[in-house]
Amino acid sequence: MNAVLMHEHGGPEVLKYEEIQDPMAAPGEALVRVRACALNHLDIWTRKGEAGRHIALPHILGNDIAGEVVSLRTPVEGIAPGERVMVSPGTSCGRCAQCLSGEDSSCRNYRILGYQIWGGYAELVRVPVPNLIPLPGHVPFEEAAAFPLVFLTAWRMLVTRARVRVGEDVLVWAAGSGVGTAAIQIAKLHGARVIATAGSPAKLEQARKLGADAVIDHHAQDVVAEVKRLTSRKGADVVVEHVGQATWERSILSLAHRGRLVTCGATTGAAGATELRYLFAKQLSLLGSYMGSKGDLLEATRYYFAHRLKPVVHTVLPLPEARRAHEMMERSEHFGKIVLQVA
Ligand SMILES: [Zn+2]
């Protein structure tokens, strides 16, 4: 098969399109022909090997996969070769207490496709059968590939962890990011009022189109003051934080009394200062969130297939142009997902 491999950590230039031997499915796995694979920031960190993300090389990136089942190592009821599928990105042992209580992202053996194991920048990929999610005929591969990781992450953050409720004010940082586009829609789906930030007038306009009730330019405006103004000085009930060091302090200051800050990432750095007086006096909750369970993803997927949630695809590039796709993502000019199309 053809695949984009990385033989060393580094810049986008380490991504090489080459021919390698086809993978073989192990017992309990399916072989999937990849039709589309979306990029995530995790791809960039894995490529760079920063923050302890050194992995076995060579490696194939790609967490978010949609395609067709080629073969199953052992027959599985309800899934036949040719089935169109979306792939749940997290794998786990399936036997431990965490897995059996539906908390598979807390499994000691939790692995993410394209991070700790080979992913979807390839024509073929091995996938555990429980990770296959059959696709309805109306869902195109390029769109389905843009769904799993960011909607799983945002669903886990807002619904499972922060328990967002009708009428609450939710602040979403970086509306144009994958998690941002998903969080805006999920918060709206649950009846919240969404305040979204972005870094350009065009992105602010797109955030509004996606459902944001109010928008803030995080470069040109004082985010904390704007949140206070928009909420009649109350503050945000929930802050969706995935930016890290650059926004952490403002996230804390934007919270209402008994507000919840939920974070899934630290793109700009992991050191965030917290004024402890705010934490106790305002009775704030700081919630961590990491990926999510297969159950979280299946719940979000129901809304996707029922046309209530929709992944935002910025652009689709052919697989051999993975390097250009990475360069585009690092420039942060996109709104929504960058997707690789695999012929
Ligand atoms: Zn487990």
Side-chain angles (χ1 to χ4, degrees):
M1 68 167 179
N2 292 307
V4 172
L5 271 82
M6 46 179 276
H7 295 272
E8 57 185 326
H9 291 290
E13 70 282 354
V14 302
L15 302 175
K16 307 279 188 211
Y17 186 69
E18 51 195 77
E19 193 175 350
I20 58 164
Q21 206 171 7
D22 288 357
M24 270 183 34
E29 291 182 342
L31 194 63
V32 171
R33 180 167 301 284
V34 182
R35 293 297 184 193
C37 180
L39 267 69
N40 288 284
H41 272 286
L42 182 55
D43 293 348
I44 291 173
W45 297 321
T46 309
R47 192 199 71 215
K48 289 179 173 170
E50 284 174 356
R53 283 193 175 82
H54 284 272
I55 37 118
L57 296 169
H59 182 66
I60 298 177
L61 297 168
N63 322 121
D64 271 334
I65 297 160
E68 290 149 339
V69 174
V70 175
S71 59
L72 295 145
R73 181 69 184 266
T74 43
V76 176
E77 202 185 323
I79 294 181
E83 180 90 46
R84 301 170 79 251
V85 292
M86 177 168 89
V87 176
S88 178
T91 73
S92 63
C93 80
R95 297 186 305 273
C96 71
Q98 300 286 3
C99 284
L100 294 174
S101 59
E103 293 293 336
D104 41 282
S105 57
S106 295
C107 175
R108 287 184 64 167
N109 290 307
Y110 190 70
R111 305 273 186 273
I112 302 173
L113 280 159
Y115 175 21
Q116 295 101 335
I117 46 181
W118 282 14
Y121 288 22
E123 289 171 342
L124 295 166
V125 65
R126 296 165 45 187
V127 175
V129 169
N131 290 59
L132 302 175
I133 301 173
L135 282 179
H138 73 267
V139 177
F141 290 126
E142 290 77 20
E143 191 189 273
F147 186 80
L149 194 140
V150 293
F151 277 84
L152 168 66
T153 300
W155 188 276
R156 177 80 173 184
M157 292 174 84
L158 277 163
V159 184
T160 313
R161 300 291 285 143
R163 299 184 182 281
V164 64
R165 292 192 299 267
V166 173
E168 289 193 312
D169 290 307
V170 176
L171 172 65
V172 176
W173 284 100
S177 65
V179 168
T181 59
I184 290 172
Q185 295 181 60
I186 292 167
K188 289 301 294 177
L189 182 71
H190 288 80
R193 185 169 74 126
V194 174
I195 304 169
T197 86
S200 74
K203 287 186 179 184
L204 291 171
E205 182 54 35
Q206 282 168 303
R208 273 195 191 280
K209 281 190 185 146
L210 214 51
D213 299 279
V215 294
I216 303 173
D217 185 326
H218 55 227
H219 294 316
Q221 289 176 284
D222 179 338
V223 173
V224 178
E226 276 301 297
V227 170
K228 289 285 159 70
R229 186 183 68 79
L230 289 162
T231 58
S232 306
R233 303 209 55 73
K234 173 179 66 79
D237 301 295
V238 176
V239 174
V240 174
E241 168 61 68
H242 54 105
V243 181
Q245 211 162 310
T247 54
W248 183 263
E249 201 174 358
R250 284 179 284 165
S251 290
I252 302 268
L253 296 175
S254 298
L255 283 166
H257 275 266
R258 303 186 65 223
R260 293 93 77 202
L261 184 158
V262 59
T263 178
C264 71
T267 313
T268 57
T274 304
E275 172 72 63
L276 295 180
R277 284 175 305 171
Y278 282 102
L279 187 62
F280 62 76
K282 293 179 87 174
Q283 305 197 63
L284 306 178
S285 299
L286 303 183
L287 304 167
S289 194
Y290 181 64
M291 295 291 285
S293 67
K294 288 191 184 70
D296 288 324
L297 181 58
L298 290 176
E299 217 182 327
T301 299
R302 283 196 298 131
Y303 291 92
Y304 172 31
F305 292 168
H307 308 278
R308 302 287 300 279
L309 295 172
K310 191 175 168 64
V312 179
V313 176
H314 174 75
T315 191
V316 179
L317 295 170
L319 178 65
E321 293 188 35
R323 174 182 174 169
R324 192 156 75 88
H326 272 233
E327 288 164 351
M328 190 182 276
M329 185 154 195
E330 286 182 301
R331 283 197 303 270
S332 279
E333 288 160 4
H334 57 291
F335 189 96
K337 304 292 284 178
I338 299 168
V339 177
L340 295 170
Q341 189 177 42
V342 187

